Amino acid sequence: AQSVTQPDIHITVSEGASLELRCNYSYGATPYLFWYVQSPGQGLQLLLKYFSGDTLVQGIKGFEAEFKRSQSSFNLRKPSVHWSDAAEYFCAVAPPQYGNKLVFGAGTILRVKS
Amino acid sequence: DADVTQTPRNRITKTGKRIMLECSQTKGHDRMYWYRQDPGLGLRLIYYSFDVKDINKGEISDGYSVSRQAQAKFSLSLESAIPNQTALYFCATSDTSGGYEQYFGPGTRLTVT
């Protein structure tokens, strides 16, 4: 079935440690790819996006993501996590065959321990 | 002021009541969307509209209806609310000429008792 998978429901990292959140998709053609963050009580904010070109994309708040076509993955990374990064992170894809509507993963909740 | 606003932000209602959630945007975008968020399920698309005369069902439209009153306004109605419609509801917008990224409102937390 076509889907977006975020295999980690919860992740806990220490402040200052590195972070990687995983995202895999299963659509035939490469879709547009996005990462959103949802802070408690807030709406979703776009962190970064990939459409084409350089497979390593930079976003806001020090985040980056790497697109790997061979693995159908778009993992989000940050070299040093801050306590304010605690939030829920959503990977989303816009498959061409869906009229470029967004399909979301289930989300990963990030906890940051001091 | 926020670009995408939703009213109300919180609502508690009883089973069988009719509820309307409203969304307004000042971004000038032509496309608008309604999603619901449930824990562990991410966001699921309820309805979307690519312009004022265009309304389309999403993956979970049963029990919901929408109205696009103007380019800037998109309302979601629950004709007869039921408890499993308890969720966080988000409105979003996007621009045809943009890169398909969507911009979200702050959400409406709806509880149906």
Side-chain angles (χ1 to χ4, degrees):
Chain A
Q2 296 178 323
S3 66
V4 180
T5 302
Q6 293 181 245
D8 303 304
I9 299 174
H10 296 97
I11 282 185
T12 300
V13 299
S14 297
E15 192 169 15
S18 64
L19 170 70
E20 183 170 32
L21 303 182
R22 296 180 289 164
C23 175
N24 293 92
Y25 62 90
S26 58
Y27 295 92
T30 299
Y32 296 156
L33 301 162
F34 306 86
W35 275 99
Y36 284 85
V37 60
Q38 183 183 21
S39 298
Q42 304 294 316
L44 278 72
Q45 181 182 22
L46 180 67
L47 282 176
L48 47 76
K49 61 189 178 186
Y50 173 79
F51 295 157
S52 64
D54 191 345
T55 57
L56 184 64
V57 293
Q58 302 297 319
I60 62 171
K61 304 186 180 190
F63 285 91
E64 65 179 27
E66 185 172 15
F67 167 59
K68 293 186 177 180
R69 186 187 305 275
S70 61
Q71 299 177 18
S72 296
S73 70
F74 188 55
N75 293 349
L76 182 71
R77 302 195 294 245
K78 187 169 185 178
S80 177
V81 169
H82 187 263
W83 64 266
S84 61
D85 293 324
E88 188 162 16
Y89 292 80
F90 292 95
C91 178
V93 307
Q97 65 266 43
Y98 283 25
N100 294 105
K101 297 187 294 295
L102 291 183
V103 179
F104 285 83
T108 297
I109 296 172
L110 173 65
R111 300 188 178 112
V112 180
K113 59 182 181 180
S114 57
Chain B
D1 289 338
D3 295 320
V4 184
T5 57
Q6 293 183 234
T7 56
R9 293 293 312 277
N10 290 281
R11 182 71 182 267
I12 300 173
T13 191
K14 295 185 183 298
T15 297
K17 293 292 187 181
R18 184 178 188 275
I19 292 295
M20 179 181 285
L21 309 183
E22 298 186 336
C23 177
S24 295
Q25 54 114 346
T26 58
K27 298 186 75 67
H29 289 170
D30 47 358
R31 300 183 173 194
M32 299 186 74
Y33 310 79
W34 276 105
Y35 294 89
R36 66 176 280 174
Q37 182 184 13
D38 299 278
L41 296 179
L43 278 75
R44 293 179 292 166
L45 184 62
I46 306 172
Y47 269 95
Y48 62 101
S49 170
F50 283 176
D51 65 42
V52 174
K53 297 180 180 179
D54 176 78
I55 301 289
N56 304 280
K57 293 182 177 181
E59 64 177 303
I60 55 162
S61 59
D62 287 349
Y64 302 95
S65 63
V66 291
S67 173
R68 185 84 183 263
Q69 299 95 325
Q71 187 192 34
K73 296 183 182 296
F74 193 35
S75 300
L76 175 72
S77 294
L78 287 68
E79 297 302 325
S80 179
I82 57 176
N84 77 359
Q85 291 177 314
T86 293
L88 188 55
Y89 290 84
F90 286 103
C91 174
T93 72
S94 69
D95 187 1
T96 307
S97 61
Y100 301 103
E101 61 262 40
Q102 295 180 14
Y103 298 86
F104 286 80
T108 294
R109 185 166 296 281
L110 177 66
T111 303
V112 183
T113 62

